[in-house]
Amino acid sequence: MTEKEIFDILKEKFPESIIEFVEAQVGENYIKVSPLEIDKVCAFLFTDSRLQFDSLINLSGVDDANGEKKVKEDGSFNFIGGTLSVVYHLESLKHLHKLTLLVSIEKDKQDVVSVTDIWAHANWHEREAFDLLGINFLNHPDLRRILMPYDWDGGFPLRKDYKDPEFYEGMKIPY
Amino acid sequence: MALKTEEMTLNMGPQHPSTHGVLRLELQLDGEFIIDVTPHIGYLHRCFEKHAEFMTYPQVVPYTDRMDYLASMYNEFGYALAVEKLLGIEVPDRVEYIRVIMGELQRIASHLVALGTYGADIGAVTPFLFCFRDREKILSLFEMASGARLLYNYIWVGGVSRDLPPEFLRLTKEFVDYFRPKIKELNDLLTFNKIFIERTANVGILPLDVAVNYGITGPMLRASGLKWDLRKNDPYSVYDKLEFEIPVGNGRMGTVGDSWDRYYVRILEMEESLKIVEQALKQIPEGDVLSAIPKRIKPPVGQVYGRVENPRGELGYFIVSDGSVNPKRIKVRGPSFVNLAVIGELCKGHMIADVISILGSIDIVLGEVDR
């Protein structure tokens, strides 16, 4: 099944939460989904006999770096507003079709519903997105830091406006 | 009077020799039986993804080497394919064949480490030495082609850094002929050894539905009985022109998806890799390997997910481009990272000594888990 056909099925089933179908110039076409409905959409994709997306290949968090850029005197900057994205790559091992979903989240809200209940695979990837980008996954069973130290409070390193804190546990960074 | 029982927490690692790097497993124990395992990772976190945002596209290649340091060639291969997909460029046939030869030799080298250290973990030290002896020959071939033994920077976006040296094809053929009987030697020494089978068969059984739900790929998924290999199911490069089988686990010594199956799938895969290398050596055409390398890489705005079948499973690169010379975001879907997550499911109900056996059969490289 092509992405467009899947989009039509989804649009009929979830007229509110499916936002749009984006035809990409390069790479994969994707479907934009509302962040607070993503779990319902994914559960449908997982169970529906025509679709059966039994495998989540990858889940990535992205900082879109699209807010209003404010440069400070020392050259560092931060973004006011803007969005973060979560990109889901799905695949059906039974029907051999693929799909890409994209969720766009306001940076001030940061909430998206976890899909760990559907694919256990999402667990660590969501923890990673939380750890490095500060995306808050609602209903996640174990939302802890994963790559950074558990007691890290120096911010989210993969944000574009991230700046190293001066000290961590008494050690100077950058050294 | 009833005896008082109490659960115990035991830390395995971060420096335990059997954890293949710096990994800490927090075991929840009932006597010697495992109730739960919580892996703690991140000790080797080197900020690959953040570094990549400050590099140009070709500059990222050496960093990819350092993720899965036992399969560096394949990391470069996957990265080059993903960026080429983003740029929409074709590479010459000779380059494709060189990449496949390198990739499959790397797969053999990587599996040799996996199998050798697995034996050593369980107490068989001799096979480890045999495996490293043979791996050394592959590393010498790589050194001849790229100048480095482990971190090659050989496969570039659009080509490879230099053509093969004149003797390379002959020596590779010699290696293939040399190595084929050595697999039998390894089988006699370790695979069908009774003690080894006792330690691995029926240990850490991974049912297929659990494997798919956890996103497990590579030899681990195939050991659970699914014929799934991106070289066949989503062919890239010239794999569709080469003939090979996909070995799957069949529970020969115990149950489908146990540690022994995971081990044996790797043995069979080495034979298939030899077949691929042999065919590629015959088919490789002449040509210029540098002609398609772009002078300046400035991809269009967009996002792309490129994936290859790394020795450990599906290695994916999700690259977001904002139209500048630096990638906006590179997310790596490392097979070790994904495969390690299932260890809690595998260990439940087993004894502490089996954790080593199970962890070895997953075959993780911590450099890629933590990136």
Side-chain angles (χ1 to χ4, degrees), chain B residues 209-269:
Chain B
D209 54 331
V210 177
V212 172
N213 201 251
Y214 268 88
I216 306 296
T217 46
M220 238 181 128
L221 178 65
R222 293 191 279 277
S224 293
L226 184 67
K227 236 181 193 181
W228 183 263
D229 189 320
L230 295 180
R231 291 175 293 170
K232 283 265 194 227
N233 294 77
D234 190 3
Y236 50 92
S237 199
V238 288
Y239 278 110
D240 47 356
K241 294 181 195 162
L242 303 164
E243 275 174 33
F244 58 98
E245 293 294 313
I246 307 171
V248 291
N250 52 11
R252 190 164 154 193
M253 293 297 159
T255 317
V256 177
D258 60 8
S259 294
W260 193 86
D261 268 357
R262 286 195 281 278
Y263 167 91
Y264 195 57
V265 162
R266 292 195 177 95
I267 294 260
L268 296 176
E269 263 179 29

Side-chain angles (χ1 to χ4, degrees), chain A residues 132-151:
Chain A
L132 302 179
L133 284 150
I135 298 169
N136 187 27
F137 289 90
L138 303 171
N139 302 341
H140 191 284
D142 183 25
L143 200 61
R144 286 177 294 136
R145 286 192 175 272
I146 183 165
L147 294 175
M148 303 295 285
Y150 292 125
D151 58 353

